[in-house]
Amino acid sequence: MSERFEKGMATRRAVLGDAHVDRAEQQKTDFDLPFQTMITEGAWGTLWSDDSISRRDRSMLTLALLAATGNFEEIPMHIRATANTGASKEDIMQAFMHVAVYAGVPKANHAIKLAKQTYSEMEQQS
């Protein structure tokens, strides 16, 4: 694997946690291998590994963008990642408030609902 892939995998594990990455790796097939490699190198090895902004800020941006574009499926995963990135509940609420103003209240409302459910699950697991 490339150096960027290795860096991406290390960052991915630091942000999402070993358990999540191990589960995802077990589900990888020959069919989605090219996609998984691209995501690991590009999103994790380039974007998330860049230290121009903090991981806290990247969490806030990522969650706001997921909500604003209606890509709700990954919101719980990125809420869980805030335990590793340092983004607080207050930070995420502020990100979703921006979504409400700039992308629409229904999208923010749904994202907040998912965040509340995920935070509740995280608290029950601790």
Side-chain angles (χ1 to χ4, degrees):
M1 288 293 156
S2 72
E3 182 178 325
R4 195 164 43 139
F5 182 90
E6 296 300 325
K7 186 175 188 178
M9 188 58 75
T11 300
R12 186 177 169 203
R13 287 184 178 284
V15 172
L16 299 177
D18 287 330
H20 173 86
V21 175
D22 289 345
R23 279 191 306 275
E25 286 294 295
Q26 290 171 357
Q27 295 174 6
K28 188 166 53 177
T29 66
D30 289 341
F31 176 72
D32 67 344
L33 179 62
F35 176 78
Q36 294 296 326
T37 301
M38 178 189 70
I39 294 300
T40 301
E41 290 179 346
W44 296 106
T46 300
L47 186 66
W48 275 88
S49 292
D50 185 318
D51 62 2
S52 297
I53 62 173
S54 70
R55 288 186 179 165
R56 171 190 167 267
D57 292 345
R58 287 193 194 283
S59 279
M60 294 168 64
L61 285 167
T62 299
L63 284 160
L65 288 165
L66 288 170
T69 58
N71 291 299
F72 299 111
E73 187 173 311
E74 290 198 359
I75 285 178
M77 175 182 72
H78 281 281
I79 290 292
R80 287 184 187 92
T82 63
N84 299 323
T85 65
S88 69
K89 289 181 182 181
E90 294 79 15
D91 293 333
I92 301 312
M93 180 53 72
Q94 286 300 312
F96 290 153
M97 300 269 288
H98 271 69
V99 169
V101 170
Y102 292 102
V105 170
K107 288 180 179 176
N109 188 46
H110 189 63
I112 291 166
K113 176 184 172 185
L114 293 171
K116 286 170 57 176
Q117 289 171 346
T118 305
Y119 283 129
S120 177
E121 291 168 6
M122 291 169 67
E123 289 167 7
Q124 290 173 8
Q125 292 171 352
S126 338

